[in-house]
Amino acid sequence: MELAAHNFRPTILMVDDDEMLLSSVRRTLGGNFNIVTNSSAVAALAWLSKNQGMVDAVIADLMMPEMDGIEFLQQAFSVAPSVPRMLLSGNVSSVSLRDAINRGMVSRVLAKPVSPAVLREALNESISSPLPCGPQRRVSSLQVAEAVEKDGHQIVVQPRVSAKDFSIVGGEVLSRFDDLQHRFTLDEIISASEDHPVINQLTSNVLRLLEKAAHEVQPKLGMPARISVNCSPYSLANMDFVQFLMQRVIDLRRVNIELEFEITEHNAKVLSEPFIRNARFLKEQGVQLLIDDFGTGNNSIQLLRYNFYTGIKLDRGLVSRMMTETIDDSFVEWTIQIAHKLGLSVIAEGVENLKVAKRLQKYGVDEMQGYYFCRPTAPCDLAMNDIVGVTTS
C-alpha cells in the first residue's frame, strides 16, 4: 500500500459568509492547498482551537454577520498566535487597513474580488514569512515540506550498544536539514511538524532514505539490524498511515532491518482512542513500540499501564543530570526497576562518558546510546572502528 505522502498541501482555514466564494476557492486552489472553509466565524474559531497545530494560514472576510473579520482574526491570534492571518475586504481604506494591522495583526489585506493567482501568491508568501506583529513566525510546515521534496532532508544513524559489553545491538535513525538548520533548531523544526500532516511526509522520507541506505547500515548494526525511527502520535492515530508503516516494516524485513518506532511521551495524542487502537494493532503485528523522552512530561508513568509498549528510552536530559542531581539519579534507578518488573527493556540516551555508562550498568539498564559510543553519522560514513565496542551481536 503506497500512501500519497509527498502530495503535501498546506492547510488554510477560510471564513466567509459567501458560500459561492468559498466553493470557488476550494475548486480553484484545492490542488495547491487543503482548504477548510466555514461560513460561521464562531464555528471556525471552535474548529481552529482544536486543530491549530495543523493550520498554516487563516483568511477571513471583513464583513460577516456574527463578527467582523478583524474581530475574528484578533480572536484567532489568541487561539493560534503563530499562524499567519489574512483579511479580505471590498473596501480597503487606510482606516480599515490600520485597524486590521493593529487589532487583527494580519500579514496581508487583499481587496475583493481577488483572483485565484493573487490569493495563491499571497498565501505562499504569508506561510513562508514572519508575522508583522506578535510572536515571531516559527518554521512553517511548507518550509519543511519543501526541504523534503527538494532533497534538503537527510538521515543520520546513531548506534545503540548493549549495556553489558558495549557491543552494537542496533541504532536510531534521526533527521537532519542542511538549509533549515542554519535558521532554526532541529527541535523547532520537529515541533512545528509533529502535529501536522507534514509529519507523515517527513516520516515517509526517513523510511525511504533508510531503505535506500540499507546495504550500508545493516552490516554495521547487526543481523537483523534493529533500527528505531521516531513516529508522531499524530501519524499513528491515522489508520491509513499505520497501514503504510506496516508495508515499510515488511519491506525492510526483506533486507534484514527490523523497524522499531519511538513514540514521544509528551504528546497528548498518546492517550487518544485512535492512537491506542492503532498502537495495539502494531503490537499484534510484532512491531516494537518504545516510549521516547521518558521522564520529561506528565504522561510517563501513565503510559506504563498500556501493554503495547515493549521498552522505554530514558530522556537524555535526565541521564545527563544523574551524576549531579540525587533526585534524577534515584528516578533513573527506580524507573529501570519498575520497567523490568513490567517486562519492558530500558535504553538510556545521551550517554557522554564512561562514568555515566558504568552507573547505568550498575542500575541494570539494557542498552545505551550517546556521544561516548558514537555521534549520529551519515549511513555511508558509519565506520565500526569509530564505535566503542566494535562487535555486533
Side-chain angles (χ1 to χ4, degrees):
M1 174 184 176
E2 282 293 331
L3 194 72
H6 294 286
N7 297 328
F8 171 75
R9 294 175 300 162
T11 296
I12 311 300
L13 172 61
M14 184 170 182
V15 188
D16 198 308
D17 60 332
D18 185 343
E19 292 282 4
M20 291 185 63
L21 174 62
L22 296 179
S23 177
S24 175
V25 170
R26 287 195 301 268
R27 184 174 62 255
T28 56
L29 297 185
N32 303 99
F33 305 97
N34 174 32
I35 307 290
V36 178
T37 60
N38 207 311
S39 58
S40 165
V42 173
L45 282 171
W47 183 88
L48 180 62
S49 67
K50 295 179 181 178
N51 299 277
Q52 54 179 296
M54 63 177 288
V55 179
D56 297 285
V58 177
I59 310 172
D61 184 33
L62 177 62
M63 302 301 295
M64 296 188 293
E66 294 174 319
M67 66 181 76
D68 66 38
I70 296 176
E71 182 181 354
F72 169 81
L73 292 174
Q74 188 176 24
Q75 293 193 40
F77 166 75
S78 299
V79 172
S82 66
V83 176
R85 296 164 293 281
M86 299 173 59
L87 183 71
L88 296 177
S89 174
N91 178 25
V92 184
S93 65
S94 59
V95 175
S96 63
L97 179 61
R98 186 165 57 250
D99 201 26
I101 294 173
N102 291 339
R103 289 177 53 216
M105 290 181 281
V106 303
S107 56
R108 289 286 288 271
V109 179
L110 299 176
K112 295 176 71 173
V114 59
S115 71
V118 170
L119 185 54
R120 182 186 301 111
E121 180 182 1
L123 283 169
N124 283 329
E125 289 180 358
S126 293
I127 289 170
S128 302
S129 302
L131 294 171
C133 306
Q136 190 73 8
R137 174 65 172 161
R138 64 182 182 178
V139 58
S140 72
S141 55
L142 181 61
Q143 289 171 297
V144 178
E146 287 178 345
V148 172
E149 292 165 1
K150 296 178 180 178
D151 296 326
H153 170 231
Q154 300 82 35
I155 60 170
V156 293
V157 179
Q158 186 171 38
R160 299 201 318 245
V161 304
S162 167
K164 292 181 179 178
D165 57 8
F166 298 166
S167 61
I168 301 166
V169 293
E172 179 182 1
V173 173
L174 301 162
S175 289
R176 294 293 184 267
F177 301 84
D178 282 347
D179 181 59
L180 282 183
Q181 284 185 249
H182 290 298
R183 293 172 284 163
F184 306 98
T185 67
L186 185 61
D187 284 345
E188 287 173 332
I189 296 169
I190 300 302
S191 295
S193 307
E194 66 177 353
D195 278 331
H196 190 282
V198 74
I199 196 65
N200 293 349
Q201 182 184 20
L202 184 58
T203 304
S204 299
N205 201 50
V206 167
L207 296 176
R208 180 186 70 83
L209 294 172
L210 174 59
E211 189 167 12
K212 185 177 179 181
H215 66 286
E216 297 171 323
V217 172
Q218 189 278 320
K220 300 165 185 175
L221 297 183
M223 176 67 80
R226 292 171 44 232
I227 298 179
S228 63
V229 173
N230 289 280
C231 195
S232 170
Y234 174 93
S235 299
L236 288 190
N238 180 332
M239 190 58 185
D240 287 339
F241 194 77
V242 169
Q243 294 285 2
F244 165 78
L245 291 179
M246 272 309 308
Q247 186 59 56
R248 297 285 77 79
V249 168
I250 294 169
D251 292 342
L252 285 163
R253 281 173 178 168
R254 295 192 184 107
V255 290
N256 293 309
I257 290 178
E258 189 66 33
L259 270 185
E260 302 172 345
F261 294 111
E262 298 184 18
I263 317 298
T264 185
E265 68 86 45
H266 58 72
N267 190 303
K269 286 187 174 64
V270 295
L271 303 176
S272 71
E273 184 178 336
F275 171 84
I276 292 171
R277 180 184 63 245
N278 294 343
R280 284 181 174 143
F281 167 79
L282 287 172
K283 174 72 180 302
E284 290 168 359
Q285 304 305 310
V287 178
Q288 306 289 307
L289 299 180
L290 308 173
I291 305 174
D292 196 19
D293 303 321
F294 192 91
T296 61
N298 297 325
N299 294 327
S300 291
I301 305 302
Q302 188 169 355
L303 295 182
L304 294 177
R305 300 177 184 275
Y306 294 105
N307 62 1
F308 45 76
Y309 291 109
T310 56
I312 66 174
K313 295 194 77 174
L314 294 171
D315 176 67
R316 67 182 66 251
L318 189 64
V319 170
S320 70
R321 295 190 301 269
M322 279 178 56
M323 307 306 292
T324 56
E325 300 291 336
T326 302
I327 190 168
D328 291 313
D329 184 59
S330 299
F331 182 78
V332 168
E333 184 179 15
W334 174 85
T335 299
I336 294 169
Q337 292 174 3
I338 295 297
H340 286 167
K341 285 183 179 180
L342 296 173
L344 302 176
S345 63
V346 183
I347 304 165
E349 296 185 285
V351 180
E352 298 193 356
N353 58 65
L354 182 59
K355 193 174 181 180
V356 172
K358 289 293 187 181
R359 180 163 301 184
L360 288 166
Q361 273 184 329
K362 175 185 174 183
Y363 290 164
V365 74
D366 298 286
E367 298 176 21
M368 304 182 216
Q369 72 181 77
Y371 283 7
Y372 175 68
F373 303 103
C374 184
R375 290 176 177 270
T377 307
C380 60
D381 296 328
L382 191 62
M384 290 177 62
N385 57 4
D386 292 333
I387 305 170
V388 173
V390 294
T391 60
T392 57
S393 63

